[in-house]
Amino acid sequence: AVAVACSRSAAPTSPAVPTASNTPAADGSTLKVSAPAPASPINKQQVSADNPTLTATAPADGGTTPLQYRFQLFNEAGTKVEESGLMATPSYTVTSTLDFARTYTWRVRAEYLLHTGPWSAAAAFVSPEGAYIRTGEVRDVLSNGKTVGERFGSTTFVAGKGIRIDNSQSYVRYTIPGTVLAGEFSMEVEGLQANGPGDKVKVFSMSSDGPDFITDDYRVDIQYRGTAGFPPNAITFRCLYGSATDLTKRYEPDTATRLNSVFNLSAGTTYYWKFSWGSEVRVIVKAGGINGTTIYNVGVPTHNGAYDPEPWYAYLGAPSGRSGAESASVAGAIYRNVWISSRARPQ
């Protein structure tokens, strides 16, 4: 079916279909077509996507044949990580979970019916960094047993899950260069449960370098209130845009909204928390992780001031200030997949 038929007419300069042979060539191929040329990523380029897309240039001698393409991906030890099915175009998005900051190689070949062309030369790329602090941006996976943040008090890595804040006086701090006037601070959290101890207990927070967290001019605290809170088990937040005393720069839900924001969270459920700031401040909470069901979505417009602390600190939990239990962390909370940036969270 793929052979060029004999004809008394002059042979075309470019075949309509590549020829095939039942006798494999030295490289094992049976389809007489050149190998695709890897285009991206190549030359040990470090990719930013957790699941990069591999692309190649189709063979120039493929003619009008509807070629298909097969990709293979290998780790540093030369072990095959995955193999694609047949793709209609020379492009394939990796589906495996890659190790961070490792070199991977890949190759691709053309196929038609039951015949295969030669493999391309191997191309190499470096997988994304698992965690970093850059100007205006933080990424911290945490489920790999490492953090780019500073650990204060008692914290423990839970295998495959993230970092646990062991008591109310402990937290993780990120010192972030630069300022982001509009951005997000988001993460996944386990270990939150109803009727916990404390008052205005903090799930996560931000501040500048004020002497006390509670009176810091750029305090942000995202709360899941304890049994001493009003009301207990309420999700709420407060954000200060440059002043701890000017009420026109203080943004938080009103009392009625807070009273209607009581949730009996479960320690065994993963919750996705996202705080965003800019022309408004907003907190979104989803049960079941990043793609879960939204249970809380409250925003407040910001009419005065700007969020531009210097220096800029972000916390898992919160540092203990003069208010003691009011500024305590949630004991037992487990955090992973932290993202702070003006950019949208990467897939």
Side-chain angles (χ1 to χ4, degrees):
V2 297
V4 177
C6 293
S7 172
R8 294 187 180 183
S9 61
T13 57
S14 177
V17 295
T19 59
S21 172
N22 291 325
T23 302
D27 59 9
S29 62
T30 58
L31 186 65
K32 297 185 183 303
V33 67
S34 59
S40 177
I42 59 175
N43 299 329
K44 293 189 176 180
Q45 168 194 355
Q46 184 161 44
V47 299
S48 58
D50 291 336
N51 299 100
T53 298
L54 315 177
T55 60
T57 302
D61 53 358
T64 59
T65 307
L67 295 173
Q68 294 177 295
Y69 300 89
R70 186 182 302 275
F71 291 77
Q72 290 183 337
L73 179 68
F74 301 87
N75 63 18
E76 289 182 334
T79 302
K80 185 166 67 177
V81 174
E82 72 179 46
E83 180 172 296
S84 72
L86 288 174
M87 313 300 294
T89 62
S91 178
Y92 174 66
T93 300
V94 174
T95 60
S96 297
T97 299
L98 304 182
D99 294 329
F100 299 119
R102 299 294 184 185
T103 299
Y104 287 84
T105 56
W106 62 278
R107 63 182 186 173
V108 57
R109 73 183 180 193
E111 300 187 15
Y112 182 62
L113 298 180
L114 300 178
H115 293 280
T116 60
W119 287 107
S120 70
F125 67 88
V126 178
S127 57
E129 297 177 58
Y132 57 78
I133 297 178
R134 300 173 181 164
T135 300
E137 189 165 285
V138 175
R139 183 182 186 186
D140 208 7
V141 177
L142 295 167
S143 56
N144 59 358
K146 301 176 182 179
T147 181
V148 292
E150 300 172 85
R151 300 162 68 180
F152 291 82
S154 179
T155 62
T156 303
F157 281 107
V158 180
K161 290 193 172 185
I163 194 167
R164 183 180 66 220
I165 304 300
D166 293 330
N167 59 58
S168 63
Q169 304 303 302
S170 302
Y171 57 94
V172 175
R173 184 179 74 181
Y174 302 101
T175 303
I176 311 171
T179 297
V180 169
L181 296 177
E184 73 168 79
F185 183 4
S186 58
M187 72 217 67
E188 289 183 305
V189 190
E190 287 185 55
L192 302 175
Q193 57 185 334
N195 302 317
D199 182 358
K200 301 174 183 177
V201 186
K202 314 298 190 282
V203 180
F204 59 106
S205 56
M206 299 195 299
S207 74
S208 65
D209 197 23
D212 179 67
F213 175 77
I214 294 300
T215 58
D216 190 277
D217 288 339
Y218 292 93
R219 173 166 62 102
V220 170
D221 56 70
I222 314 303
Q223 308 169 20
Y224 182 52
R225 296 194 170 187
T227 52
F230 178 68
N233 304 325
I235 295 174
T236 191
F237 60 90
R238 175 176 288 181
C239 179
L240 307 183
Y241 264 37
S243 175
T245 56
D246 184 348
L247 296 184
T248 68
K249 296 181 179 180
R250 176 181 297 180
Y251 304 106
E252 59 188 331
D254 58 30
T255 302
T257 299
R258 189 173 74 245
L259 291 173
N260 287 311
S261 301
V262 173
F263 298 91
N264 292 321
L265 302 187
S266 170
T269 299
T270 297
Y271 296 93
Y272 171 65
W273 292 70
K274 176 184 176 181
F275 168 71
S276 57
W277 68 96
S279 59
E280 69 165 12
V281 290
R282 180 171 295 275
V283 171
I284 296 173
V285 182
K286 297 182 180 181
I290 292 173
N291 298 315
T293 302
T294 300
I295 61 173
Y296 182 85
N297 187 352
V298 175
V300 179
T302 55
H303 302 298
N304 191 23
Y307 196 76
D308 55 354
E310 188 179 352
W312 177 20
Y313 297 128
Y315 311 88
L316 307 181
S320 256
R322 61 178 174 78
S323 299
E326 180 179 333
S327 58
S329 301
V330 180
I334 303 171
Y335 299 82
R336 62 179 172 270
N337 296 329
V338 172
W339 177 251
I340 307 171
S341 180
S342 60
R343 300 189 299 131
R345 168 182 280 271
Q347 295 297 314

